[in-house]
Amino acid sequence: MLQDFLKFHSMNVSATLNFLRLIGKPSLCLPHATIPTFNDLPVPLSDAFGTLKPDIRAVVLDKDDCFAVPKENVVYKPYTTPEISRQDKFNSLLAAYPAPHLLIVSNSAGTTTSDPSNSQASRLSSETGIPVLRHAIKKPGCGSQILNHFLHAPNCRVTSGDQIAVVGDRLFTDVMMANMMGSWAVWVKDGVVENRNPFIAWERKLPERLGRSGAKEFVELP
């Protein structure tokens, strides 16, 4: 499975290097909350963590297989259509976390390697009304840049990492980054479309396996 990981993340040096951290601390890839799809995301996000009710002041969104079909830079229609969704989930999130308290962080749109002209990020931001982080280091290694973004954004209420929730479908990038930031991780388990990649299938079973081994008991709260 290590070979599958290295092949899948061959263009993501950050994920490959940070994968080694899991050997000593496997709980880094375990989420604080799990939802099937983006449509199931509680708003406000403090409701996602049961009785803990953390003070979530800002939200980081992954793009591919979180709120968008991979390689597309528009919100998946069922997440913006009240007739299909239980509500207009995406716009309810925008209302609960107005600018500058939402940020899209993708390992495709906005990265200097996958989106060198920043054209994908520009379209995505135009379509969603949310800024897209421009970053050279891919997730999970860009946590400090995210914190810096919120801490220095005008009129932003964020003062520490534990006031941020990260929402994404990948344990080894989105969830691991949230834990490294001291933030809250919300794992979108089923994504937007079915993914037949064997590494993704293995990754999605990991929380259950680690839970049986006792690792889940050591998930640190921000």
Side-chain angles (χ1 to χ4, degrees), residues 9-10 29 35 37 41 51 57 61 67-68 84 93-94 110 120 123 126 149 161 173 180 185 189 207 209 211 217-218:
H9 289 287
S10 60
C29 70
I35 56 176
T37 71
L41 184 68
T51 59
R57 301 183 183 183
L61 296 176
F67 67 80
I84 300 175
L93 188 64
L94 283 167
Q120 294 181 52
R123 186 190 175 193
S126 177
H149 170 88
T173 54
M180 290 165 59
K189 183 179 180 181
R209 291 171 178 168
E217 297 176 8
F218 299 99

Side-chain angles (χ1 to χ4, degrees), residues 67-214:
F67 67 80
V69 174
K71 299 183 180 181
E72 294 187 6
N73 293 309
V74 295
V75 181
Y76 185 49
K77 189 174 181 180
Y79 301 157
T80 60
T81 308
E83 291 77 13
I84 300 175
S85 175
R86 287 179 288 279
Q87 60 175 314
D88 184 338
K89 179 62 68 174
F90 200 83
N91 284 317
S92 67
L93 188 64
L94 283 167
Y97 298 93
H101 298 94
L102 276 175
L103 181 67
I104 294 172
V105 182
S106 169
N107 272 354
S108 53
T111 64
T112 56
T113 51
S114 300
D115 185 18
S117 67
N118 211 38
S119 58
Q120 294 181 52
S122 296
R123 186 190 175 193
L124 181 60
S125 184
S126 177
E127 290 283 348
T128 62
I130 301 173
V132 178
L133 186 72
R134 184 67 170 164
H135 54 117
I137 301 175
K138 292 188 175 184
K139 295 180 288 185
C142 59
S144 60
Q145 195 172 346
I146 294 170
L147 282 169
N148 187 64
H149 170 88
F150 285 121
L151 291 173
H152 293 90
N155 302 315
C156 185
R157 298 174 53 244
V158 171
T159 59
S160 61
D162 61 354
Q163 296 165 341
I164 300 170
V166 178
V167 182
D169 71 303
R170 298 298 314 285
L171 295 174
F172 292 143
T173 54
D174 305 303
V175 169
M176 186 174 180
M177 181 181 72
N179 283 315
M180 290 165 59
M181 290 169 57
S183 300
W184 297 85
V186 180
W187 180 38
V188 182
K189 183 179 180 181
D190 298 331
V192 176
V193 296
E194 183 180 4
N195 193 318
R196 298 180 181 275
N197 184 289
F199 176 76
I200 297 294
W202 176 83
E203 183 186 50
R204 288 176 174 171
K205 294 178 181 178
L206 193 58
E208 181 182 351
R209 291 171 178 168
L210 290 176
R212 288 199 300 266
S213 72

Side-chain angles (χ1 to χ4, degrees), residues 5-6 9-21 140:
F5 175 89
L6 294 174
H9 289 287
S10 60
M11 298 301 291
N12 187 349
V13 176
S14 173
T16 302
L17 293 176
N18 280 292
F19 181 76
L20 300 175
R21 295 187 180 212

Side-chain angles (χ1 to χ4, degrees), residues 50-61:
T51 59
L52 295 173
K53 297 289 183 181
D55 179 19
I56 302 298
R57 301 183 183 183
V59 179
V60 172
L61 296 176

